[in-house]
C-alpha cells in the first residue's frame, strides 16, 4: 500500500487497500495517466498505443513524430495549448491574451502524512494516522511562462481514498491569469461508464440522476458563488452494470463551497474524461511574480463492490478526516428550532414557552432562529445589525440565555453573517461593503446583498460581531446561514476582479477557521436556504448541515437518499415538523415524521404547543429512543435498501460496525388499494446467524432476511413508516 515510484518504468503508483492509481512520466517529460481502478500489481503502460491520427498534432519537442499526440494520449493534467482539444484541466492566459501552457516533469517527493492546503479546508489525518497517510508531490514546470505547477496527491490507504490538489507558483516577471483549474481530471482509456450526479433546487436538493457518458459533453456545476442547491459538488462514474452492491465505481467530491464545475465526455477515440474543479466563468485569477495559488482539493475513491462501499469510503473520510471539533463524534443535542413555528415573530414568551415544552419532551436545546436582532420582523431588513432586539427579547440576550439554561435547555442561535440588508445601520455606514458593481443597480436575492468577504476589514468587523454575540452568554450552537446567490461581482479590495469569487471563499474559510479555534465547544451547523451549501468544504467547519428547508418527510426521502451517496448521516440535520407540512401541505403521521428525521442529527421544528397530549407523550418516547439509537445511526454503516425514485417505499438501515445490531427503517411513499406486499431486504448482517427484532421478539435467519426480506405490515393510511431493530443472537 502507499505511494511508489518505479525508476525503471518512470511510473508513479498510489495503492490503497483495494485500488491502484497509476501515471507515468513519459520519455519526453509529459505526465500520462495510465490507470485507476481495482488494485493491480503490474504496470499499465502497455495500455498506451502510439498512432498517427489525423488532425491530432504533435508537441513541439518531438519535431515531427506523428505517432505522439496529446490529443489522443491519456493525460494526468490536460492543459490548454498542448495539442489536446478535449476539455482542459488547466488554462493560463498572459496579459496579452495568449493562452498556452507546456508543462514538463521536474521532480517528485513522497513523504509521510497528508499535505494540508493553506487557507483551505482539506482532508486531514491525526498524528497516529500520519504514518499511514502519504503525500506525493510532483513538480512540473513551464519554462516559457516561468510557472511551477505542483500536483499534490494524498492517500488514506485503508479508506481507499486519494486526494488531488494543485499549487501554481509564478516565478517569472509577467503576471498570468488562471482561467480554468480542475484539480481532478481522470482519463479512462477504455470502457463504458455512467455518470451519476445530484441536482436539485431550493427545498428539493440532491436528486440523483444516472445517465450514460457518451460523446456529448455533460457538465454540472454552480455559477452561484456557492456550491448550490442546483448541483452538488459530488459525482460518481460507474460501469453500466454497477449497482449498490456490485461493480466498479468512482467518486469525486470537491472540498470547496464556492462555484464549481464537473464534466464528463467520451472522446473521439473512446477515452472517457471526467473532471472536477473550479467554476470557469467568473474565475480569472491573477497570479503575479512570487505569488502562489493553491486550489481546493478533490476527494477520489474507487469501489469494486458498488455504491454502498463507495459511500462508506466517503462517509468515513468525511466523518473522520473532514469534520472536526468537539462534536465530531459526540452525540449532537436534540434541539427545537423556532423557525417553522414562529418565523421572525418570536418573543421572549414564545421562546421560553417553546423551551419549556421542549424540556417536557426531553429535548436538549432551544435554537433561536431568525428574528432576534436589529429590526428583523421579516426578511427584508437588518442583516448586518448583529445586536439583540431587546424589546422583542424582553431584555438582554444574556438574560434570555440564562432563562433558557434555567429551564434546563442549552441555547443556540441563528446568524447569517455573510449578508447585509440595505435597510440596516451597517449598510448606512458601509454601502461599499456589499458586493455590487459601480454604476449598476445590484440584483437582490431575498431582498438582501452579499457582504464582500474578500475584504479583510469586512471580515474582521463581522468576526468581532459574531464573537460579541457568542461571548454574551452560554451559547453552545450557531446556525450559520447563507440565503442568496452572488450576482454582482466587484470588490474595492482586489487587484483584479477575476479574483473576487475565490478570495471570497478564502475569506469565509478564514472567519470560520478563527471561530472554530476560538469556540471549539460551540457546534456550528451549516445552512444555506437548507442544503444550498452542502459540501465537504463547509463540513470542515460545521460538522452538520441543515439538509433542506423542506421538512416534508416524504420529499425528505429523496433528498436524504441523494445526500447519502456522498455524506454520512451525522452531517444531515433532520427535524420533525408540523402536519400538514409547511412546504407541501402534506399530511403525515407523527411516526413517519420522526422516522424520517432519525436519518441524522435529530430535532424538532414546530410550535410544540400544537401537539396533542398523546403526540407529546409519543414525541417524548421518540426522543428517548433516539438517544438510545443515535450511536447506531451516526457510527453505524449506512445502507440504502430501496430506490425512492422508483420504488413505492423508501428503506434504509444502520448496522453497527460489529454487525451485532441493525436499525431498519421504511417509509411507504405510495399507497394503492390491494397492492403487492413490500419486502425490505436488510444488508450487512452477519451471514448464517439469527437476529431478533426487539419490538416483536421475533427471530429471523439473517440470510433469509437479506435474500427474501421482511414484509412491511399491510395497513391502510397514507405514508406509514416502520422501524425494526434487530439484535444478533448468540
Ligand atoms: C433559511 C434557513 C431556514 C431559516 C431561515 C431564516 O431559509 O434555511 O432554516 O433559518 O433561513 O430566515
Amino acid at each position: 500500500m502507499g505511494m511508489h515510484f518505479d525508476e525503471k518504468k518512470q511510473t508513479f503508483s498510489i495503492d490503497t487497500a483495494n485500488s491502484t492509481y497509476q501515471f507515468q512520466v513519459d520519455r519526453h517529460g509529459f505526465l500520462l495517466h495510465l490507470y485507476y481502478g481495482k488494485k493491480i500489481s503490474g504496470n499499465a503502460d502497455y495500455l498506451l498505443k502510439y498512432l498517427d491520427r489525423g488532425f491530432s498534432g504533435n508537441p513541439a519537442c518531438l519535431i515531427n513524430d506523428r505517432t505522439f499526440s496529446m490529443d489522443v494520449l491519456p493525460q494526468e493534467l490536460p492543459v490548454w495549448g498542448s495539442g489536446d482539444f478535449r476539455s482542459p484541466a488547466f488554462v493560463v492566459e498572459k496579459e496579452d491574451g495568449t493562452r498556452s501552457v507546456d508543462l514538463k516533469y521536474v521532480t517528485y517527493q513522497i513523504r509521510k502524512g497528508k499535505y494540508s492546503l493553506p487557507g483551505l479546508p482539506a482532508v486531514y489525518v491525526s498524528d497516529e494516522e500520519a504514518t499511514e497517510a502519504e503525500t506525493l508531490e510532483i513538480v512540473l514546470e513551464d519554462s516559457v511562462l516561468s510557472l511551477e505547477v505542483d500536483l499534490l496527491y494524498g492517500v488514506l490507504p485503508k479508506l481507499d481514498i486519494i486526494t488531488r490538489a494543485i499549487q501554481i507558483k509564478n516565478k517569472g516577471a509577467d503576471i498570468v491569469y488562471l482561467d480554468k483549474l480542475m484539480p481532478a481530471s481522470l482519463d479512462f482509456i477504455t470502457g463504458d461508464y455512467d455518470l451519476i450526479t445530484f441536482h436539485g433546487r431550493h427545498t428539493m436538493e440532491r436528486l440523483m440522476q444516472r445517465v450514460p457518458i457518451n460523446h456529448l459533453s455533460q457538465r454540472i456545476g454552480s455559477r452561484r458563488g456557492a456550491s448550490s442547491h442546483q448541483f452538488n459538488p459530488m459525482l460518481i462514474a460507474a460501469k453500466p452494470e454497477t449497482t449498490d452492491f456490485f461493480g466498479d465505481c468512482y467518486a469525486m467530491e470537491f472540498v470547496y463551497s464556492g462555484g464549481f464545475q464537473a464534466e464528463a465526455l467520451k472522446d473521439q477515440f473512446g477515452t472517457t474524461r471526467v473532471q472536477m474543479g473550479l467554476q470557469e466563468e467568473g474565475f480569472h485569477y491573477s497570479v503575479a511574480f512570487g505569488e502562489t495559488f493553491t486550489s481546493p482539493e478533490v476527494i477520489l475513491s474507487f469501489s469494486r463492490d458498488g455504491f454502498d462501499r463507495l459511500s462508506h469510503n466517503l462517509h468515513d473520510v468525511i466523518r473522520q478526516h473532514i469534520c472536526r471539533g468537539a462534536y465530531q463524534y459526540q452525540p449532537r443535542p436534540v434541539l427545537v428550532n423556532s423557525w417553522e413555528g414562529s418565523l421572525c415573530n418570536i418573543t421572549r414568551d414564545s421562546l421560553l414557552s417553546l423551551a419549556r415544552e421542549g424540556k417536557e419532551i426531553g429535548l436538549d436545546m432551544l435554537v433561536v432562529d431568525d428574528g432576534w436582532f436589529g429590526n428583523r420582523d421579516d426578511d427584508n431588513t437588518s442583516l448586518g445589525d448583529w445586536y439583540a432586539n431587546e424589546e422583542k427579547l424582553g431584555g438582554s440576550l444574556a438574560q434570555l440565555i440564562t432563562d433558557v439554561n434555567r429551564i434546563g435547555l442549552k441555547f443556540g442561535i441563528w446568524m447569517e453573517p455573510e449578508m447585509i440588508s440595505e435597510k440596516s445601520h451597517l449598510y448606512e455606514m458601509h454601502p461599499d461593503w456589499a458586493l455590487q458593481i459601480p454604476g449598476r443597480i445590484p440584483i437582490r436575492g431575498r431582498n438582501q446583498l452579499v457582504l464582500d468577504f474578500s475584504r479583510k476589514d469586512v471580515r474582521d468587523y463581522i468576526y468581532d460581531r459574531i464573537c460579541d454575540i457568542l461571548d454574551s452568554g452560554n451559547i453552545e450552537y450557531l446556525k450559520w446561514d447563507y440565503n442568496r446567490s452572488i450576482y454582482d461581482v466587484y470588490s474595492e479590495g482586489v487587484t483584479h476582479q477575476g479574483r473576487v469569487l475565490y478570495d471570497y471563499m478564502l475569506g469565509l474559510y478564514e472567519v470560520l477557521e478563527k471561530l472554530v479555534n476560538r469556540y471549539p465547544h460551540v457546534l456550528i451547523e451549516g445552512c444555506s436556504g437548507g442544503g444550498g451549501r452542502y459540501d465537504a468544504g463547509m463540513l470542515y467547519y460545521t460538522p452538520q448541515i441543515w439538509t433542506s428547508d423542506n421538512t416534508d418527510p416524504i420529499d425528505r426521502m429523496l433528498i436524504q437518499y441523494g445526500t447519502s451517496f456522498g455524506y454520512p448521516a451525522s452531517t444531515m440535520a433532520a427535524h420533525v415538523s408540523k402536519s400538514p407540512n409547511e412546504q407541501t401541505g402534506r399530511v403525515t403521521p407523527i411516526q413517519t415524521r420522526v422516522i424520517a428525521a432519525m436519518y441524522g442529527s435529530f430535532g424538532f421544528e414546530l410550535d410544540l404547543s400544537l401537539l396533542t397530549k398523546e403526540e407529546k407523550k409519543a414525541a417524548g418516547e421518540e426522543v428517548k429512543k433516539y438517544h438510545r439509537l443515535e450511536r447506531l445511526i451516526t457510527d453505524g454503516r449506512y445502507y440504502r435498501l430501496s430506490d425512492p425514485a422508483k420504488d413505492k417505499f423508501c428503506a434504509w438501515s444502520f448496522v453497527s460496525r460489529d454487525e451485532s445490531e441493525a436499525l431498519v427503517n421504511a417509509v411507504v411513499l405510495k399507497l394503492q388499494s390491494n397492492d403487492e406486499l413490500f419486502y425490505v431486504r436488510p444488508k450487512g448482517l452477519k451471514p448464517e446467524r439469527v437476529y431478533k427484532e426487539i419490538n416483536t421478539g421475533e427471530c429471523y435467519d439473517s440470510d433469509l432476511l437479506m435474500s427474501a426480506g421482511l414484509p412491511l405490515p399491510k395497513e391502510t393510511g397514507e405514508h406509514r413508516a416502520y422501524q425494526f431493530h434487530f439484535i444478533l443472537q448468540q
Side-chain angles (χ1 to χ4, degrees):
M1 289 214 282
M3 297 169 151
H4 315 276
F5 182 54
D6 178 337
E7 288 279 350
K8 211 164 126 241
K9 293 260 190 181
Q10 294 283 298
T11 301
F12 291 97
S13 291
I14 305 174
D15 287 320
T16 70
N18 300 291
S19 71
T20 298
Y21 184 106
Q22 221 175 63
F23 59 97
Q24 179 190 60
V25 184
D26 89 337
R27 58 192 192 283
H28 310 294
F30 295 117
L31 280 193
L32 300 181
H33 183 78
L34 294 178
Y35 173 80
Y36 184 29
K38 176 179 170 345
K39 193 165 184 163
I40 52 166
S41 52
N43 197 295
D45 65 347
Y46 77 91
L47 295 174
L48 301 181
K49 286 281 169 232
Y50 298 88
L51 302 170
D52 178 358
R53 301 230 189 228
F55 286 79
S56 291
N58 322 109
C61 65
L62 272 85
I63 319 270
N64 195 12
D65 176 356
R66 296 192 184 193
T67 66
F68 191 106
S69 177
M70 303 303 253
D71 202 23
V72 179
L73 291 164
Q75 308 288 312
E76 190 55 22
L77 181 73
V79 300
W80 182 251
S82 69
D84 183 350
F85 283 94
R86 294 167 290 183
S87 173
F90 186 41
V91 179
V92 178
E93 188 170 290
K94 287 194 349 181
E95 199 83 72
D96 66 1
T98 319
R99 290 175 153 207
S100 173
V101 198
D102 183 16
L103 291 175
K104 290 284 172 52
Y105 173 77
V106 179
T107 184
Y108 82 96
Q109 195 194 47
I110 292 176
R111 48 180 192 268
K112 289 277 169 223
K114 157 82 177 43
Y115 65 82
S116 54
L117 299 172
L120 284 160
V123 167
Y124 68 90
V125 291
S126 63
D127 291 347
E128 309 87 71
E129 292 158 326
T131 48
E132 285 182 12
E134 281 180 289
T135 293
L136 164 63
E137 186 172 341
I138 306 272
V139 178
L140 306 171
E141 193 182 54
D142 181 316
S143 55
V144 173
L145 293 175
S146 299
L147 270 195
E148 179 182 315
V149 174
D150 299 343
L151 306 187
L152 294 167
Y153 298 82
V155 65
L156 271 55
K158 281 195 201 145
L159 298 188
D160 290 323
I161 291 290
I162 294 171
T163 60
R164 286 190 66 175
I166 302 180
Q167 281 192 317
I168 293 129
K169 300 175 184 161
N170 187 350
K171 298 179 159 180
D174 295 338
I175 203 162
V176 296
Y177 296 89
L178 310 180
D179 271 352
K180 184 175 182 187
L181 192 54
M182 314 291 268
S185 185
L186 290 175
D187 281 354
F188 298 96
I189 298 178
T190 159
D192 290 326
Y193 295 89
D194 285 350
L195 177 67
I196 295 163
T197 52
F198 301 88
H199 66 278
R201 52 189 187 268
H202 179 222
T203 71
M204 215 57 218
E205 300 90 338
R206 291 171 296 285
L207 307 174
M208 182 196 187
Q209 172 180 278
R210 180 175 185 163
V211 291
I213 298 179
N214 54 28
H215 294 285
L216 293 174
S217 164
Q218 300 185 66
R219 182 172 150 178
I220 62 162
S222 160
R223 303 182 181 92
R224 296 171 173 275
S227 49
S228 91
H229 303 86
Q230 213 170 335
F231 284 105
N232 193 261
M234 210 271 285
L235 65 78
I236 296 171
K239 290 274 170 63
E241 66 274 15
T242 301
T243 65
D244 264 338
F245 47 89
F246 167 84
D248 287 2
C249 48
Y250 303 79
M252 284 188 180
E253 190 158 328
F254 207 13
V255 189
Y256 187 60
S257 318
F260 79 98
Q261 91 188 24
E263 199 171 333
L265 172 76
K266 185 179 257 217
D267 76 11
Q268 66 271 44
F269 303 116
T271 291
T272 297
R273 177 168 290 176
V274 185
Q275 304 178 313
M276 182 175 275
L278 297 168
Q279 173 59 234
E280 246 175 296
E281 292 147 54
F283 180 70
H284 183 64
Y285 203 94
S286 59
V287 185
F289 171 67
E291 283 186 338
T292 296
F293 177 90
T294 305
S295 83
E297 71 181 6
V298 175
I299 295 173
L300 304 175
S301 190
F302 167 77
S303 154
R304 53 184 297 227
D305 302 316
F307 307 127
D308 281 345
R309 182 61 186 266
L310 194 68
S311 293
H312 293 164
N313 298 345
L314 297 172
H315 292 178
D316 283 353
V317 73
I318 298 281
R319 182 148 162 86
Q320 298 164 20
H321 301 280
I322 286 281
C323 294
R324 300 179 295 169
Y327 279 101
Q328 182 179 5
Y329 298 116
Q330 281 313 304
R332 313 284 163 73
V334 178
L335 54 85
V336 58
N337 176 301
S338 63
W339 178 245
E340 278 201 19
S342 313
L343 303 181
C344 288
N345 312 318
I346 46 175
T347 62
R348 175 187 162 79
D349 287 349
S350 74
L351 292 171
L352 290 181
S353 98
L354 192 59
R356 276 186 221 103
E357 307 260 4
K359 181 71 191 164
E360 231 181 273
I361 60 169
L363 302 185
D364 304 314
M365 178 182 274
L366 169 77
V367 173
V368 176
D369 207 282
D370 202 349
W372 59 269
F373 56 93
N375 296 318
R376 185 84 166 170
D377 292 331
D378 59 36
D379 61 7
N380 290 297
T381 160
S382 298
L383 294 169
D385 292 347
W386 300 112
Y387 298 92
N389 182 331
E390 300 201 346
E391 212 178 299
K392 246 179 167 178
L393 301 187
S396 67
L397 181 60
Q399 188 56 52
L400 179 68
I401 298 168
T402 309
D403 291 346
V404 170
N405 284 172
R406 272 204 197 113
I407 292 172
L409 258 59
K410 297 175 194 291
F411 188 91
I413 201 158
W414 176 95
M415 291 181 87
E416 200 181 349
E418 296 154 79
M419 296 294 160
I420 183 164
S421 306
E422 284 161 282
K423 253 199 238 164
S424 69
H425 296 300
L426 188 64
Y427 192 79
E428 274 167 31
M429 284 186 304
H430 299 289
D432 61 311
W433 281 14
L435 285 171
Q436 44 188 324
I437 299 173
R440 288 197 185 277
I441 298 169
I443 292 172
R444 277 84 177 188
R446 212 191 190 195
N447 203 8
Q448 62 197 50
L449 301 179
V450 184
L451 277 172
D452 182 358
F453 261 47
S454 72
R455 274 174 65 167
K456 188 167 172 354
D457 51 351
V458 176
R459 296 196 297 271
D460 287 351
Y461 173 84
I462 291 295
Y463 174 72
D464 287 346
R465 290 306 319 133
I466 300 171
C467 292
D468 270 4
I469 296 298
L470 293 182
D471 292 341
S472 65
N474 182 22
I475 298 181
E476 298 181 68
Y477 159 111
L478 170 66
K479 179 170 166 190
W480 182 293
D481 210 341
Y482 174 90
N483 280 320
R484 56 160 285 180
S485 307
I486 299 180
Y487 308 95
D488 300 281
V489 181
Y490 177 88
S491 167
E492 300 263 315
V494 286
T495 47
H496 194 281
Q497 298 304 323
R499 294 172 72 120
V500 176
L501 286 174
Y502 196 71
D503 286 353
Y504 179 99
M505 292 314 301
L506 294 178
L508 169 64
Y509 291 147
E510 180 201 282
V511 173
L512 286 167
E513 183 66 26
K514 281 184 2 193
L515 279 177
V516 298
N517 288 326
R518 181 162 163 171
Y519 302 98
H521 298 292
V522 172
L523 170 62
I524 310 182
E525 175 169 307
C527 180
S528 170
R533 213 162 48 179
Y534 203 119
D535 55 69
M538 285 310 286
L539 289 169
Y540 189 67
Y541 310 95
T542 71
Q544 66 186 45
I545 293 178
W546 180 225
T547 313
S548 178
D549 269 350
N550 187 345
T551 54
D552 176 313
I554 303 307
D555 280 357
R556 274 271 179 152
M557 289 299 100
L558 284 168
I559 297 167
Q560 291 170 181
Y561 171 83
T563 310
S564 80
F565 279 84
Y567 305 93
S570 59
T571 65
M572 292 188 221
H575 296 169
V576 177
S577 65
K578 69 173 193 227
S579 174
N581 179 267
E582 178 80 20
Q583 292 80 31
T584 61
R586 193 181 273 133
V587 175
T588 52
I590 180 91
Q591 169 81 350
T592 303
R593 283 174 273 149
V594 165
I595 289 177
M598 282 196 192
Y599 215 111
S601 198
F602 185 59
F604 288 76
E605 183 148 348
L606 74 165
D607 179 353
L608 293 172
S609 68
L610 297 180
L611 294 181
T612 61
K613 224 169 164 198
E614 291 71 47
E615 282 176 327
K616 257 190 215 162
K617 193 160 168 264
E621 290 306 316
E622 296 298 344
V623 173
K624 277 194 215 133
K625 194 204 276 170
Y626 179 74
H627 279 304
R628 289 197 301 274
L629 293 173
E630 64 189 339
R631 281 284 175 207
L632 183 55
I633 292 171
T634 56
D635 299 347
R637 278 274 175 243
Y638 166 89
Y639 290 94
R640 290 172 286 269
L641 305 181
S642 75
D643 176 349
K646 294 193 186 124
D647 297 324
K648 289 183 186 164
F649 63 95
C650 180
W652 69 100
S653 71
F654 302 99
V655 181
S656 63
R657 299 276 169 139
D658 64 1
E659 294 157 5
S660 65
E661 229 185 315
L663 183 72
V664 175
N665 307 274
V667 171
V668 177
L669 304 174
K670 198 167 174 202
L671 182 78
Q672 277 179 346
S673 169
N674 202 18
D675 206 351
E676 63 190 65
L677 278 172
F678 301 143
Y679 285 83
V680 175
R681 284 186 294 158
K683 291 181 196 162
L685 306 180
K686 268 194 204 305
E688 296 175 24
R689 300 294 287 271
V690 170
Y691 282 80
K692 184 188 218 168
E693 203 289 310
I694 56 171
N695 301 307
T696 58
E698 293 272 341
C699 284
Y700 297 90
D701 176 300
S702 59
D703 292 300
L704 190 57
L705 267 184
M706 290 192 286
S707 62
L710 184 77
L712 295 183
K714 194 104 196 69
E715 289 180 305
T716 52
E718 196 93 84
H719 306 311
R720 300 257 181 196
Y722 306 94
Q723 203 165 49
F724 308 96
H725 191 174
F726 294 101
I727 305 284
L728 176 68
Q729 301 301 288
Q730 290 315 313

